[in-house]
Amino acid sequence: MASTIVGGGIATASAGFLEYRRWKRDRGDQRIETRRALYGSYLAALARARHTCAVLARDPEMPPAQRSRTVWDAFEPCISLRYELSISAPAFVVTQAEDTYRRLRDIRDAIAEGLLADSDEYASHRLGYDEAHLSLRSVMRTDLGAGTSRGSDSA
């Protein structure tokens, strides 16, 4: 009788331990999937804002008020996603996301003030942003366990 009770206890404990491990693994997978979706949304918002900046930088005819409003509207989605990312991502991703955000914000401000694509200042802003964006994608991939392979997109 004692061996049956001990055997039942071992089986119950083993099943509980396996269930706990499965729950923990599923929870980790869910966290990664949540961050993957957030990272994708943030990168997409940055890309849309960056593209709008590039288009505006090539349009010297746009009235200043319209230019400013357009670039600010394009940048708006980045703000809320940045806050979401700041509470969901590890510190090393948040730090790089903040740097990328600030560099894009600098481009936004310069475009709103009338900076055009043929200036050295614009080229400097773009280079700084492109470097920060590449680093951001790299740390995001590392966080998601996707390795450190760096792709190249240009906007």
Side-chain angles (χ1 to χ4, degrees), residues 34 38 41 77-89 94:
T34 299
L38 178 58
S41 295
C78 300
I79 297 168
S80 61
L81 288 168
R82 178 177 141 240
Y83 288 120
E84 279 186 58
L85 198 133
S86 73
I87 63 170
S88 299
V94 172

Side-chain angles (χ1 to χ4, degrees), residues 6-155:
V6 170
I10 291 172
T12 302
S14 177
F17 177 73
L18 290 175
E19 187 60 33
Y20 172 75
R21 290 198 44 150
R22 183 178 306 124
W23 171 79
K24 198 166 178 147
R25 184 187 66 234
D26 289 347
R27 187 172 164 204
D29 290 347
Q30 187 179 36
R31 282 184 180 160
I32 286 177
E33 191 54 41
T34 299
R35 283 198 311 263
R36 179 177 287 126
L38 178 58
Y39 292 174
S41 295
Y42 187 63
L43 291 173
L46 291 173
R48 284 189 298 273
R50 175 66 186 92
H51 176 73
T52 299
C53 288
V55 168
L56 293 174
R58 291 182 185 92
D59 186 1
E61 304 300 319
M62 183 176 278
Q66 183 181 358
R67 171 185 299 276
S68 182
R69 184 175 43 256
T70 301
V71 76
W72 274 89
D73 288 347
F75 191 74
E76 178 96 23
C78 300
I79 297 168
S80 61
L81 288 168
R82 178 177 141 240
Y83 288 120
E84 279 186 58
L85 198 133
S86 73
I87 63 170
S88 299
F92 70 97
V93 173
V94 172
T95 299
Q96 193 57 52
E98 285 290 326
D99 183 47
T100 305
Y101 173 88
R102 278 191 228 94
R103 290 174 189 249
L104 183 57
R105 183 188 60 200
D106 293 344
I107 292 173
R108 176 205 66 196
D109 293 347
I111 296 298
E113 292 173 6
L115 189 70
L116 296 176
D118 58 356
S119 72
D120 290 339
E121 185 181 355
Y122 178 80
S124 175
H125 280 302
R126 181 177 173 168
L127 180 62
Y129 172 79
D130 289 346
E131 290 171 354
H133 192 261
L134 183 63
S135 294
L136 174 61
R137 290 192 330 258
S138 178
V139 297
M140 285 176 168
R141 289 179 56 80
T142 298
D143 181 44
L144 296 174
T148 58
S149 173
R150 293 182 179 193
S152 65
D153 2 333
S154 56

